[in-house]
Amino acid sequence: MHNSWLTVEPHPTIDLSKHAIDAYRRDGFLVIHGFSTPEELARMRTIYDDLFEKRAGREVGDEFDLAGADAEDDRPVLPQILSPSKYAPELLRTLAVANARAIAKQILGSTGEFGGDHAILKPASYGAATPWHQDEAYWDPSLDYDSFSIWMPLSGATVESGCLHFIPGSHLGEVIPHQPIGGDPRVHGLEAIDVDASKAVAIPLKEGSVTVHHNRTLHYAGPNSTQQHRRAYIMMCGKPAAPRQTPRQFHWKEVQSTERSKRAELARNQGENK
Ligand code: NI
């Protein structure tokens, strides 16, 4: 059987205008249409649903409930998989990833690279909200970043299914205080404290369109009240992170103790003892 989709990396199709790149720099986010094709998205949905069905990577801490305590017998309200392409490498040979590599250079310059992927499923009718946060709040506070996430819903997204909302210009400030969602240290997900969302904009997307947001842009997604899954596939791009001159602490990371990190640590220790 010949299946070129599985063996050949497509040529990128996105060439951002200066106007679009200026808008990203000003607002901290950008919408791009035609990032993938209906045929590719259909194939990606099949792979995606299979990974979540199998809970791929759960034993090493790559699959977990972003918004809950993540106990084994809990129904996950916001399942996430880190690096789904580790479990389905064909995801890296998509037009979407080819376009991610291309816009990394267009927005960040020659040192801009595609850095990896993750996936957040908002299950039909009960998927939980993703509270306001800045992605950088999850990361190592000793480094400086210039990066963005490309957020691609595999069948579009509406306000009702959980599209992203952004606060324009919020990427120009510092990382603001966060806490584990609901103040529960067992929860992996973070929420920013004291967000003024009066200037927030919701960005519904049709199939094949994406939003791009900077690592400090405040963003949010509502719960999924529709009868369809909201499948977000997220591609991360950045310049190499550099050591910070000014030290800082992310206290919210120090208080967390998640089942996910315990599984990841156990898997690392078992790997070392082999
Ligand atoms: Ni985020």
Side-chain angles (χ1 to χ4, degrees):
M1 190 182 81
H2 180 71
N3 189 339
S4 63
W5 184 71
L6 294 175
T7 53
V8 178
E9 175 150 338
H11 290 288
T13 51
I14 302 294
D15 187 7
L16 294 175
S17 65
K18 181 175 180 302
H19 178 79
I21 295 171
D22 287 348
Y24 166 76
R25 298 223 166 100
R26 181 189 64 229
D27 298 333
F29 69 92
L30 179 65
V31 180
I32 305 176
H33 302 297
F35 212 80
S36 179
T37 63
E39 297 73 27
E40 178 171 278
L41 289 163
R43 293 187 190 104
M44 290 178 80
R45 285 195 293 273
T46 304
I47 296 169
Y48 192 100
D49 289 351
D50 179 55
L51 293 177
F52 278 98
E53 179 73 26
K54 291 194 292 212
R55 306 194 80 170
R58 181 158 183 84
E59 62 289 348
V60 298
D62 283 345
E63 192 271 3
F64 53 93
D65 187 359
L66 175 58
D70 198 33
E72 286 306 320
D73 43 4
D74 283 356
R75 178 173 78 167
V77 290
L78 198 56
Q80 177 168 19
I81 296 177
L82 305 179
S83 304
S85 58
K86 233 164 79 180
Y87 307 98
E90 59 270 38
L91 290 170
L92 297 180
R93 294 187 291 272
T94 52
L95 175 62
V97 168
N99 279 330
R101 293 186 200 283
I103 72 164
K105 303 287 185 211
Q106 292 168 26
I107 293 177
L108 300 170
S110 59
T111 59
E113 304 272 5
F114 170 76
D117 57 353
H118 67 107
I120 303 177
L121 172 65
K122 254 189 221 301
S125 74
Y126 68 86
T130 318
W132 286 104
H133 68 279
Q134 295 164 298
D135 292 338
E136 190 177 341
Y138 282 89
W139 302 346
D140 180 346
S142 72
L143 300 176
D144 264 327
Y145 305 92
D146 186 3
S147 69
F148 58 79
S149 289
I150 303 161
W151 190 87
M152 184 169 82
L154 299 185
S155 10
T158 60
V159 170
E160 295 73 26
S161 74
C163 71
L164 288 186
H165 302 228
F166 300 102
I167 299 180
S170 54
H171 65 304
L172 299 172
E174 294 296 317
V175 175
I176 66 172
H178 284 63
Q179 65 175 7
I181 296 172
D184 183 341
R186 298 172 303 168
V187 178
H188 173 87
L190 296 173
E191 60 188 3
I193 299 167
D194 288 336
V195 172
D196 172 9
S198 58
K199 297 199 167 64
V201 288
I203 310 289
L205 294 173
K206 58 184 186 188
E207 190 174 279
S209 299
V210 301
T211 50
V212 171
H213 64 267
H214 182 268
N215 48 276
R216 286 195 183 169
T217 307
L218 277 159
H219 55 289
Y220 162 89
N224 185 359
S225 60
T226 73
Q227 297 308 306
Q228 276 87 43
H229 288 333
R230 193 230 59 188
R231 305 171 181 87
Y233 180 65
I234 298 125
M235 296 158 274
M236 293 168 291
C237 297
K239 294 181 184 175
R244 267 178 76 82
Q245 302 303 317
T246 325
R248 59 179 171 173
Q249 284 180 304
F250 289 170
H251 299 285
W252 49 90
K253 287 173 63 97
E254 290 154 25
V255 302
Q256 278 180 311
S257 172
T258 65
E259 292 302 317
R260 184 207 87 76
S261 62
K262 289 173 199 165
R263 292 195 300 275
E265 192 184 342
L266 190 64
R268 271 195 303 275
N269 291 342
Q270 284 170 346
E272 280 161 18
N273 294 337
K274 258 180 196 154

